[in-house]
Structures are given as C-alpha cells and as structure tokens.
Amino acid sequence: MSLEELYGYLRSSIDPNSERAQRRFIGAQSFFNWAFKEELIPYGRKVKILDLCAGTGLAGAALVEALREWGYESKLVVVDKRKEDLVRVEEWLSSETDVSGAVMDCLDDLTKLGKFDIALLFGYTMPHFDPFQAAELFRNVARVLEPHGVFMLEETDRFRTFFYHKAYREIVLETRGEDYNIVSLDEGYDPIRGVIRRGYYKIPGWERVGEIETRYWDLAGLAGIGKALFEEARIIKRERHGIVSVGDVIHLAKPFK
C-alpha cells in the first residue's frame, strides 16, 4: 500500500457524494455568508477566487455559491496536485460558473494564473508545510492578490491541543480496513525544519506504508508570518463565526506591494 492509497481512506471529507463532505460544504457556504456580512470579503463586478490545495474545490465552490446569493458573479481557479480531484469541482456548483483548474503545487509560481481578490486554503492543510515552506506559501499568495485582496486560511491550534493539553500520542490508529488497520508512530523530530516525522504501518504484519513530516502549528504563529506580508492579520475563532463544521480562520488582508 502506498501513501497515495492511504490518503484515499481519508478523502471522504472532500468527496461530493459523501454526506460528511456535503455537511462541510453547507457549513463553508454559511461561513462565507457570515464573512460577507461582516465585510471580510472583497466584492466587485466579478470576484476572482483562488482555491489552493483545493481537492475537489469544496471551499472555492462554497464561496462562489455564497456570493451568488448576494448577486455577485465569480471566477474560480482551483489548484491541486491531483487532477482527478479538480475535475469534480463542478459537482458542487448549482449553475454555470467561470471555473478552471491548475494541476500544480501551491509553492509553484502562481503568478501565471493571474490576479485574484480572494485566496483560500481550507481543510486544515498547514501541517504539511514546515516554517520555511509556510513563509514561501504566504509570500506566493501575497504576490497574486490585488491590493484589496484577502487570504483566508482554515486551521486549528494544534500546539495547544497536542502539547498544552497533552493530547499528543506516539502511536495513533489512523484508519480501519476490513482486515487490517493503519497506525502511525512517532519517529523523531527534525530541529532544522521544525517537523515531527511519523511512520505509517499496516497491521497485522507491521508493513511500512511510508512517512509523513508534520508541523503542529499554532494560530498565532501562522498569523504572525502573515503579518509580515499583509497590512492586516486577524484570527477568527470558531466561537465568533459559530459554524460548527468550519474551524478557526486566519484572515489576512491588503498584501504589501
């Protein structure tokens, strides 16, 4: 079994046919409606949206649908390394939309995609980025946003959860199959990159599946990186927006030019 196959077990959160994903979509749409009323989303004749690490484009499509309710047209560009996910974005949309997909890494040159009013990174993706990559990602996004643009990042405070509340475990059951389980083990810390290595194994048999490097981010750390590149940086806690299926959101506005 490869890591790609392992991720396949965890993709129900973005599959348009999944009830779990549909609940996420409705929640994201409700959040964007709230954010629009709070004047956290720029708008104009046609809002240009960039959805990064998009998967099936759930977050970007939810924003399109929210803006449609307010009478605004959108242009949506979804970015992911998996073409088979990107081609499903239209399954979320209620009517024809100007939408396109780009199969690329979000650390690649995004300027070839044009300029945008809003960039999104939803789905708790930041543990895949070490601090150096996170800084490059934020700079990459700032380059493609209009002067009034915003970057909204959904995350949770993993440092608080795992270390302050002592919820970190060296052995974790990641997923269950019909006749086997996948577990992950702590296999060390890289102080140069600030990441924890976790090995993934199929049991019984302890067949090694692969390894993932993880950075357990805190919200303030991410917002602080953003503040170096944007005039405004704020943390919107779930308690404030009130949408159960959406996490905390880091809101960065007005990139420095």
Side-chain angles (χ1 to χ4, degrees):
M1 180 183 291
S2 67
L3 277 178
E4 183 68 18
E5 290 175 295
L6 171 62
Y7 282 131
Y9 286 97
L10 309 176
R11 305 193 75 77
S12 63
S13 62
I14 62 171
D15 185 344
N17 294 322
S18 160
E19 289 186 11
R20 178 186 176 194
Q22 290 168 11
R23 289 194 298 270
R24 279 272 297 163
F25 180 80
I26 293 170
Q29 190 173 343
S30 297
F31 168 79
F32 292 127
N33 267 303
W34 174 86
F36 187 89
K37 288 187 286 187
E38 294 289 318
E39 299 183 344
L40 298 172
I41 293 178
Y43 54 89
R45 186 180 62 84
K46 190 170 187 178
V47 183
K48 297 166 292 183
I49 304 165
L50 178 64
D51 189 358
L52 296 166
C53 300
T56 60
L58 183 155
L63 178 53
V64 167
E65 293 297 309
L67 288 169
R68 198 193 310 275
E69 290 184 9
W70 289 92
Y72 293 98
E73 295 182 6
S74 304
K75 175 183 178 181
L76 173 62
V77 177
V78 288
V79 173
D80 200 274
K81 292 191 287 187
R82 290 173 52 93
K83 181 179 179 180
E84 54 267 44
D85 281 342
L86 292 179
V87 296
R88 304 192 66 183
V89 62
E90 293 184 353
E91 296 180 41
W92 295 113
L93 299 169
S94 62
S95 60
E96 186 173 341
T97 301
D98 184 351
V99 58
S100 59
V103 181
M104 60 190 295
D105 192 301
C106 61
L107 295 179
D108 293 341
D109 182 11
L110 299 176
T111 60
K112 64 183 72 173
L113 303 177
K115 287 285 189 176
F116 298 89
D117 303 300
I118 305 168
L120 303 174
L121 187 63
F122 270 53
Y124 307 101
T125 306
M126 285 309 299
H128 294 295
F129 298 92
D130 69 31
F132 302 98
Q133 293 168 326
E136 181 60 28
L137 169 66
F138 282 33
R139 184 170 60 179
N140 214 11
V141 172
R143 288 188 185 123
V144 299
L145 286 176
E146 300 284 5
H148 61 269
V150 302
F151 178 27
M152 285 189 283
L153 170 69
E154 181 191 29
E155 256 307 328
T156 188
D157 197 327
R158 301 181 199 288
F159 183 88
R160 178 187 182 192
T161 299
F162 292 137
F163 302 110
Y164 186 74
H165 289 304
K166 301 179 180 179
Y168 183 78
R169 291 174 291 167
E170 293 188 359
I171 302 177
V172 176
L173 174 62
E174 299 286 353
T175 188
R176 295 181 182 273
E178 291 185 6
D179 57 356
Y180 62 87
N181 295 322
I182 301 295
V183 299
S184 68
L185 306 181
D186 184 321
E187 296 189 344
Y189 175 71
D190 182 345
I192 304 301
R193 295 181 56 224
V195 294
I196 291 173
R197 293 186 297 272
R198 295 197 68 90
Y200 285 74
Y201 296 84
K202 177 181 176 183
I203 57 175
W206 289 99
E207 173 190 345
R208 185 175 175 84
V209 177
E211 177 182 288
I212 294 178
E213 295 179 325
T214 301
R215 169 72 177 189
Y216 292 119
W217 285 100
D218 62 294
L219 299 174
L222 291 170
I225 293 175
K227 185 59 178 172
L229 295 162
F230 292 80
E231 290 183 31
E232 300 175 6
R234 71 184 81 183
I235 298 170
I236 303 170
K237 294 290 290 177
R238 176 183 283 159
E239 292 85 352
R240 182 184 172 199
H241 63 69
I243 311 300
V244 174
S245 57
V246 175
D248 304 319
V249 174
I250 296 169
H251 183 277
L252 307 173
K254 301 178 183 177
F256 291 122
K257 299 299 182 182

